[in-house]
Amino acid sequence: MLNLLRELQDLRKKGVLGMNRRNISYIGRYNERRLYPLVDNKLTSKRLAIEAGVSVPELLGVVTSQHGIATTELALREQSGFCLKPAKGSGGKGIMVIRRGTEGGYLRSNGQVISSEDLRRHMSNILAGLFSLGGAPDQVLVEALLECDPSLTGYSHEGVPDLRLIVFQGVPVMAMMRLACAASHGKANLHQGAVGVGISIADGRAVLAVQKDAPIKRHPDTGMDLRDLQVPRWQEMLELGCNCADMTGLGYLGVDLVLDKTLGPALLELNARPGLSIQIANGTGLLPRLREVEALRNPARLSVTERIAFAQAHF
């Protein structure tokens, strides 16, 4: 009991934000429910981003019904690579990254060979709502394959690294790079074993790296020293995160960004209920940072440049 009390006291000292407080004091207070559909549906988010001039992976097609699966699969045989996503999915579930093999077959990001029948079955499962929020019928997004920027090569195994930003009232308050590894099966999802690297808002440099909540120094598969990680084009990434928050109107938002070798900084997806593991990757709590932003009078009146300057001076 004493150890538990000490742990709780330590969490309070670090200002760790718990799920209940996140839901009531921040998501419930700052996110209007009418705005949720803008981010809960990836197709809606993509269309909103395109209208706002935000870079996103190219949309190759959308499958809306079972009878469209066969036609789509035939068309994809002409593509060298693509990504299938459930429009209403969460936590990386249902996402399948595909490349064409040397003999024309389909290969997953981990090198696993899959057949045309497997691909069609996966699209059918997405449409049936197997991966969607609440099991609701869904749509299949077919996107162009992202290619890792050369400056980040070696920091991720198979998958493309992505950056999670928590943006509160338009101010970026905490950041984390998510790096795929063999344990996460090529997916940048911490709950599936990916590596999380806390990133300083001030300069885009690594502050701490963890895997399965334990500190690590090197990537478990590539051996890259994670302490040397610095996110390229950092100011642009922060600006993009702020612009995404502005275009949705949501006060508490998770923004997932990538650095593509062709597109540059691009939006991957948005989340109105971002997880809390970003605090573990940074070794500090969100609560003090959120309170500093709340102490500002009407942050919305500040320009993107002013909001970023405030964040870099404080976080």
Side-chain angles (χ1 to χ4, degrees), residues 242-254:
C242 292
N243 289 335
C244 287
D246 290 348
M247 78 181 185
T248 65
L250 289 163
Y252 188 84
L253 184 68

Side-chain angles (χ1 to χ4, degrees), residues 156 160-164 176-180 188 190 195-197 256:
S156 191
V160 176
D162 69 50
L163 177 78
R164 161 62 60 88
M176 164 180 69
M177 285 293 289
R178 299 184 296 192
L179 312 177
L190 266 61
V195 173
V197 182
D256 295 341

Side-chain angles (χ1 to χ4, degrees), residues 193-258:
V195 173
V197 182
I199 301 293
S200 167
I201 295 291
D203 56 15
R205 293 181 181 274
V207 295
L208 178 68
V210 298
Q211 184 182 32
K212 296 180 179 178
D213 299 344
I216 60 172
K217 294 181 179 179
R218 294 184 178 274
H219 191 285
D221 303 304
T222 69
M224 290 288 284
D225 193 329
L226 301 173
R227 295 167 294 184
D228 295 335
L229 175 59
Q230 181 172 18
V231 182
R233 303 173 68 169
W234 182 236
Q235 292 298 120
E236 293 177 64
M237 299 289 266
L238 292 178
E239 289 171 9
L240 183 54
C242 292
N243 289 335
C244 287
D246 290 348
M247 78 181 185
T248 65
L250 289 163
Y252 188 84
L253 184 68
V255 182
D256 295 341
L257 307 174
V258 291

Side-chain angles (χ1 to χ4, degrees), residues 2-74:
L2 287 176
N3 288 336
L4 177 60
L5 289 173
R6 290 193 189 100
E7 288 178 10
L8 290 172
Q9 289 172 350
D10 189 47
L11 289 174
R12 290 194 186 98
K13 288 178 183 177
K14 291 184 176 180
V16 171
L17 179 67
M19 188 174 293
N20 288 340
R21 179 171 284 180
R22 181 204 65 172
N23 293 345
I24 297 169
S25 301
Y26 293 98
I27 293 177
R29 181 179 177 186
Y30 293 98
N31 289 351
E32 294 183 44
R33 293 199 67 83
R34 65 179 180 85
L35 299 175
Y36 280 34
L38 297 178
V39 298
D40 283 348
N41 188 308
K42 294 180 178 62
L43 181 57
T44 304
S45 299
K46 184 178 285 288
R47 288 171 174 164
L48 181 68
I50 292 170
E51 289 175 6
V54 171
S55 293
V56 291
E58 181 186 0
L59 183 64
L60 300 177
V62 180
V63 185
T64 60
S65 62
Q66 295 288 342
H67 70 259
I69 291 176
T71 304
T72 300
E73 192 272 319
L74 286 172

